[in-house]
Amino acid sequence: MKGKYLIIVVIIISILLILFMTSIRYDYWDILGHSQLRELNLTVTPEKTRIQEGEVFQINLTLTNVGENPINVWKMSEQTSYNILFFNSDGSMMPYLWVNSRIPLTDEDLTELNPGESLYSTVDSTCWNLTKGEYTLNAVYDTTSPDEDIQKPYWIGRIKSNNVTITVE
């Protein structure tokens, strides 16, 4: 029984260490000169906020350069540069029903966003099994992966979108 508790403690400590290392990774990239410090805004806009159980709806994402300078960013790609998240009323994240495997990104996966310009992405809700209830929908644009083959400077960080309430009837 003590062995099970020890394993659980080791797993929890490992997760906390990973979260801590992710938060300091930005400084590592800044030192190497690969990061561009600019301002971005991520907005999630669902096609509908009230749906029937089993109904498929579109989810629109907009990544906008709200700064005053051009910036290189990762192109919009689900489960690569961003994740869409649904949380039920008790705060539990709804499982995503599809997994994307990928190779490291290169300079070709970057695009330049001038001030005021946006990138757009639209996906549908088929990857989540939403049963009756209320959900909070948001998205996270995350370019903190250290395992990329990108040579150009680009924006490195993590930003969260607005929250939207989705009601499934």
Side-chain angles (χ1 to χ4, degrees):
M1 198 63 152
K2 289 182 183 180
K4 284 184 179 182
Y5 289 120
L6 181 60
I7 291 172
I8 291 171
V9 168
V10 169
I11 290 171
I12 290 172
I13 290 172
S14 298
I15 291 171
L16 290 174
L17 268 172
I18 289 169
L19 292 173
F20 174 75
M21 293 304 291
T22 300
S23 68
I24 64 170
R25 195 172 295 150
Y26 312 124
D27 295 333
Y28 169 75
W29 281 102
D30 288 341
I31 291 168
L32 292 179
H34 285 264
S35 179
Q36 291 182 311
L37 300 176
R38 303 286 190 269
E39 298 178 47
L40 294 174
N41 184 48
L42 181 64
T43 305
V44 62
T45 309
E47 173 187 23
K48 300 175 176 184
T49 57
R50 295 185 86 75
I51 63 166
Q52 297 299 310
E53 189 171 5
E55 181 180 359
V56 176
F57 62 98
Q58 300 295 306
I59 303 166
N60 303 298
L61 292 177
T62 305
L63 180 69
T64 304
N65 179 350
V66 294
E68 297 179 5
N69 298 299
I71 182 171
N72 291 323
V73 296
W74 290 6
K75 294 177 182 175
M76 298 289 278
S77 178
E78 188 175 8
Q79 286 199 317
T80 299
S81 61
Y82 69 85
N83 288 305
I84 295 174
L85 308 169
F86 283 93
F87 296 90
N88 63 21
S89 58
D90 72 2
S92 299
M93 188 169 65
M94 299 302 296
Y96 186 78
L97 304 177
W98 184 73
V99 177
N100 180 24
S101 62
R102 67 179 186 90
I103 59 173
L105 301 179
T106 66
D107 288 348
E108 293 179 12
D109 297 300
L110 295 178
T111 189
E112 183 178 73
L113 271 185
N114 288 310
E117 286 185 337
S118 299
L119 293 178
Y120 304 94
S121 184
T122 300
V123 298
D124 65 41
S125 63
T126 55
C127 291
W128 296 272
N129 182 22
L130 302 177
T131 56
K132 290 182 181 182
E134 275 200 356
Y135 299 87
T136 300
L137 163 67
N138 64 44
V140 176
Y141 181 77
D142 185 354
T143 62
T144 60
S145 171
D147 301 323
E148 309 306 337
D149 290 332
I150 299 174
Q151 302 305 310
K152 292 181 182 179
Y154 65 95
W155 185 87
I156 297 175
R158 179 182 295 133
I159 56 172
K160 182 178 167 279
S161 74
N162 56 307
N163 288 333
V164 178
T165 300
I166 303 292
T167 303
V168 179
E169 301 173 329

